[in-house]
Amino acid sequence: MRRKKCFARVDRLSGSRYTAFMESTEKTKAAIFDIDGTIFRKNLHFELINELSWLRVFPSHVRKTLVDLYSKWLTHTGTYEDYRIALIDLYARFLRGCTPEDVARAASSVVPFRERQTYIFAEDLIAKLRGDGYLLFAISGSPMEIVSAYNRDYLHFDRVIGSVYEVGEDGRYTGVASYEPSRDKGTAARKLFEDYHLSFAESYGVGDTESDIKFLELVEHPIAFNPNENLKAVAEEKGWRIVVEKKDVVYEIDPRCYHALPVRR
């Protein structure tokens, strides 16, 4: 019978404490996933801001700003990266003065309604890798409160990393991010593998934007999933797998077709 050791650790990247569970028969292979746009069809950060606005923790007008940002991306007047960065700025601006309890309550409200809004490809790959004995990690730019809730209630990965925001002496957020993994997911991935005494042999990585490139460069089996233009260009250059999911069909792009269609500028 396999037993799990439970121990408290301090994340050397973010400084936050977490509880780790490690089986006595340690696994030797691992996979790293982005979450937003890779596992989850939407964006956890967007959903958290939206819920905080509904709960009146954030002002109600924040919802309009949120919708405007999303609409710019949908109508091609801004890139996905523009949208992602704008979400970070919006969240930090209105987070100041809120309590961790407020954010945790909003995160716990979001997950039950959104947890199964996932991609088929990601779900199937996660199931396969879990069955093959892989450790499963996720590195996300969304706030740790909702990343943690999503993992606790749905993903059940071995470890997840999200953005961490400072809490002042008054017990309220300052609005300042103390750790943002999206700035260098490669460093986050190296620390994870170091913590679990793993090599990158036989490892998998799945991401959808340029913020995922750094960890995709490390793994043995990188997959660009529904990539934006910047990640697509790198994946083509490096010969990575490119997978696209549309409705309920999953396509793998043949490298011979990479340059077959003109790119809109």
Side-chain angles (χ1 to χ4, degrees):
M1 178 178 178
R2 293 183 177 182
R3 295 181 179 178
K4 288 187 176 181
K5 298 177 181 178
C6 174
F7 51 94
R9 304 185 70 165
V10 176
D11 192 300
R12 289 182 295 163
L13 290 165
S14 66
S16 60
R17 294 183 66 82
Y18 65 93
T19 301
F21 295 89
M22 188 172 292
E23 292 187 355
S24 57
T25 55
E26 293 185 20
K27 299 175 182 178
T28 59
K29 297 179 291 186
I32 308 171
F33 288 79
D34 172 52
I35 295 178
D36 301 318
T38 300
I39 298 173
F40 184 54
R41 286 181 177 269
K42 296 190 174 182
N43 185 295
L44 291 176
H45 210 158
F46 177 102
E47 300 300 335
L48 180 60
I49 296 170
N50 187 49
E51 186 66 20
L52 286 165
S53 185
W54 274 114
L55 293 173
R56 299 295 189 266
V57 176
F58 284 4
S60 58
H61 67 78
V62 170
R63 290 194 67 251
K64 182 182 184 305
T65 304
L66 195 62
V67 171
D68 288 345
L69 292 173
Y70 186 60
S71 296
K72 285 181 180 179
W73 172 56
L74 286 182
T75 57
H76 311 294
T77 55
T79 66
Y80 184 83
E81 190 65 7
D82 293 336
Y83 164 64
R84 187 185 70 80
I85 292 171
L87 286 181
I88 294 171
D89 292 342
L90 183 67
Y91 182 73
R93 194 188 328 157
F94 291 99
L95 182 65
R96 184 176 181 178
C98 298
T99 67
E101 291 76 18
D102 287 334
V103 177
R105 177 164 57 98
S108 294
S109 297
V110 167
V111 174
F113 291 99
R114 303 295 185 187
E115 60 185 19
R116 295 199 61 83
Q117 295 178 2
T118 56
Y119 285 103
I120 296 169
F121 176 78
E123 290 279 14
D124 289 349
L125 182 59
I126 289 167
K128 179 184 183 304
L129 293 173
R130 185 171 272 138
D132 289 343
Y134 274 72
L135 285 164
L136 299 175
F137 303 136
I139 304 174
S140 174
S142 288
M144 189 61 189
E145 290 83 354
I146 193 160
V147 171
S148 179
Y150 191 58
N151 187 56
R152 179 193 67 221
D153 297 341
Y154 185 70
L155 285 180
H156 308 301
F157 276 18
D158 296 278
R159 179 92 174 276
V160 295
I161 294 175
S163 294
V164 177
Y165 289 82
E166 289 180 351
V167 177
E169 292 182 0
D170 61 354
R172 296 178 179 273
Y173 289 106
T174 65
V176 176
S178 60
Y179 174 61
E180 295 177 282
S182 292
R183 293 183 179 276
D184 188 352
K185 289 189 178 183
T187 296
R190 287 190 187 93
K191 293 296 185 184
L192 278 172
F193 275 61
E194 188 178 313
D195 281 349
Y196 285 81
H197 308 292
L198 302 168
S199 77
F200 284 96
E202 299 185 67
S203 59
Y204 281 77
V206 190
D208 69 319
T209 69
E210 60 264 40
S211 67
D212 302 316
I213 290 171
K214 292 295 185 181
F215 80 76
L216 291 174
E217 289 176 328
L218 297 173
V219 300
E220 187 171 330
H221 302 290
I223 301 171
F225 177 70
N226 285 349
N228 68 353
E229 188 172 334
N230 291 335
L231 176 56
K232 173 179 170 289
V234 172
E236 289 176 355
E237 179 185 343
K238 295 181 177 291
W240 296 345
R241 288 178 65 190
I242 297 178
V243 177
V244 175
E245 182 173 327
K246 180 66 175 176
K247 296 181 180 176
D248 59 349
V249 181
V250 178
Y251 306 85
E252 183 155 356
I253 308 299
D254 189 317
R256 294 171 297 179
C257 301
Y258 282 168
H259 303 287
L261 295 174
V263 177
R264 174 183 171 180
R265 298 292 182 185

